[in-house]
Amino acid sequence: MVFLGPKICSYFSIFDAFALLLSMSNLARRGFRFTPYKAPHQTLFERLFEVFKELITHTSGDFDEAIDWLRELDKEYELTTEDYTIEDFIEDLKSKDCVQETLEPGDPEGEGEGDASAKSVVNLTAKMERLIRQHALDQIFGKLKKAGTGNHKTKKIGLGDEPTGDLRAYQFGDALSSIDITESFKNAQINHGMGDFNLSEQDLVVSESHHQAQMSTVLMIDISHSMILYGEDRITPAKKVAMALAELISTRYPKDSLDILVFGNDAWPISVAELPYLKVGPYHTNTVAGLSLAMDMLRRKRNTNRQIFMITDGKPSCLKLADGSYYKNSAGLDSHIVEQCYNMARQAHKLHIPITTFMIAQDPYLMQFIREFTAANKGKAFYTGLKGLGDMIFEDYESNRKKRIK
């Protein structure tokens, strides 16, 4: 038997320990066997569904347009067979509760009476919206698994899931799960020898872990017209990142909060469920309105850790004046608008709210504006372009969890 002093006792014998080590040694000797990669088997529905999730994101939730694109791809790449057609796929989507068909009233001045003028419309279900977010998460952040309570680590030592690598002596009240078994056994062998194995309370050591904290994040998405100018679709990658971040936080860090807002001429909050349908509009870029709303959202949070993520092409061109009218100037950088942006950055710094800007345009004068904006807030900026946008946001979100903002 193994004795842990007068108070602690264990049923783990020295023979069990040696048997475990021996089995691990045998496993290590066998090594690894490499075989050619074999792709997992997918049914026709699963193959089409992967393509469909991508298309529905690009079409902002427009089912009919996504199916039209799917038909074109089918003609080009022969995605379906005679036994399984696009129509069969649509019926499977309905039976699996991914989409639902409803009747909308037709034109009252049109021909026909009663339901004859009603129009059949196919909409996404809540289940489908969730699957799209999971697809974005897998695409951008990799196949991450749910990690327990989802709390994140800080630089403070305390209760948590993330080990620091430091060890200390066991104290009464420490959780048994925090005891480092390997180091404790080694101490027992050093202190008492191998003849009569004895494990006392003085031999036990525990692993230190990072203090658990919570994070409140506001994600700002620029939906001004410039996000689709020059033949470059900037809104779809931004939308994917937002969906992936929302799914990441809800699964891996459920105690954290994420609010999402969009900004054009004005700024307004949107729900996670609205993300797949997000489109740009004929708007200018009112960065000041977006920052003001984001700070109002974070003021209502009780968490000490608060941050703003802003995805933009970096050119503010609009302000809302006191009388409700708009001051707009798309020619270069307007000094009046720019100064208002700097003032908002300084105000956020006073509230201990760092702003991380993800700049997806490469114009030198816009990058210089972002550098000065970041300096005013003492925040961070990433000049990522569209490629690698999700990776940068994930890495920064993880990095910000390691510190506690005072």
Side-chain angles (χ1 to χ4, degrees), residues 179-194:
I179 295 176
D180 189 314
I181 299 296
T182 303
E183 291 297 322
S184 299
F185 272 32
K186 185 168 71 174
N187 290 343
Q189 293 171 356
I190 293 173
N191 296 334
H192 309 294
M194 292 291 293

Side-chain angles (χ1 to χ4, degrees), residues 234-249:
R234 297 168 175 172
I235 190 62
T236 298
K239 186 166 53 177
K240 281 188 178 182
V241 165
M243 290 190 291
L245 188 60
E247 191 66 15
L248 173 75
I249 291 176

Side-chain angles (χ1 to χ4, degrees), residues 120-150:
S120 176
V121 177
V122 179
N123 297 313
L124 306 183
T125 63
K127 175 184 177 180
M128 186 66 211
E129 292 168 354
R130 185 175 67 254
L131 290 173
I132 293 172
R133 294 196 298 271
Q134 291 173 349
H135 177 67
L137 177 65
D138 290 342
Q139 270 194 324
I140 294 174
F141 296 150
K143 294 183 178 179
L144 300 171
K145 304 298 182 182
K146 186 173 181 180
T149 60

Side-chain angles (χ1 to χ4, degrees), residues 340-358:
Q340 291 295 318
C341 291
Y342 294 157
N343 289 339
M344 294 300 295
R346 297 185 192 102
Q347 185 179 344
H349 176 64
K350 290 180 181 179
L351 295 172
H352 305 291
I353 300 175
I355 302 171
T356 303
T357 305
F358 297 90

Side-chain angles (χ1 to χ4, degrees), residues 38-242:
K38 294 182 179 179
H41 174 72
Q42 281 187 316
T43 64
L44 273 176
F45 172 81
E46 291 170 339
R47 289 174 54 192
L48 290 172
F49 194 50
E50 290 298 312
V51 179
F52 175 75
K53 284 186 287 188
E54 189 70 25
L55 293 174
I56 203 70
T57 302
H58 281 271
T59 60
S60 299
D62 190 322
F63 177 82
D64 292 333
E65 185 180 355
I67 290 297
D68 288 341
W69 275 109
L70 189 60
R71 293 184 193 278
E72 292 300 319
L73 291 173
D74 184 32
K75 292 177 184 178
E76 182 73 20
Y77 300 103
E78 298 181 351
L79 301 178
T80 62
T81 65
E82 293 181 359
D83 297 328
Y84 193 87
T85 64
I86 297 295
E87 282 67 30
D88 295 324
F89 174 69
I90 295 173
E91 290 303 316
D92 280 348
L93 286 176
K94 294 177 183 178
S95 65
K96 294 177 185 294
D97 194 32
C98 294
V99 298
Q100 60 182 1
E101 190 171 7
T102 58
L103 290 177
E104 290 187 355
D107 185 0
E109 298 180 359
E111 296 181 0
E113 297 180 2
D115 294 336
S117 61
K119 181 182 179 182
S120 176
V121 177
V122 179
N123 297 313
L124 306 183
T125 63
K127 175 184 177 180
M128 186 66 211
E129 292 168 354
R130 185 175 67 254
L131 290 173
I132 293 172
R133 294 196 298 271
Q134 291 173 349
H135 177 67
L137 177 65
D138 290 342
Q139 270 194 324
I140 294 174
F141 296 150
K143 294 183 178 179
L144 300 171
K145 304 298 182 182
K146 186 173 181 180
T149 60
N151 291 326
H152 56 79
K153 58 185 179 182
T154 69
K155 291 184 178 179
K156 304 294 184 182
I157 303 300
L159 298 177
D161 299 324
E162 298 288 345
T164 65
D166 298 326
L167 300 174
R168 62 169 175 81
Y170 172 85
Q171 298 175 355
F172 179 76
D174 285 334
L176 292 179
S177 60
S178 66
I179 295 176
D180 189 314
I181 299 296
T182 303
E183 291 297 322
S184 299
F185 272 32
K186 185 168 71 174
N187 290 343
Q189 293 171 356
I190 293 173
N191 296 334
H192 309 294
M194 292 291 293
D196 185 15
F197 187 75
N198 180 37
L199 181 65
S200 67
E201 186 173 347
Q202 287 68 38
D203 300 323
L204 298 178
V205 292
V206 299
S207 299
E208 292 279 26
S209 56
H210 289 280
H211 172 68
Q212 292 179 338
Q214 294 177 325
M215 179 73 76
S216 293
T217 303
V218 172
L219 177 62
M220 297 173 50
I221 304 176
D222 185 350
I223 59 167
S224 62
H225 186 60
S226 59
M227 293 289 280
I228 56 169
L229 280 181
Y230 315 116
E232 187 173 32
D233 178 12
R234 297 168 175 172
I235 190 62
T236 298
K239 186 166 53 177
K240 281 188 178 182
V241 165

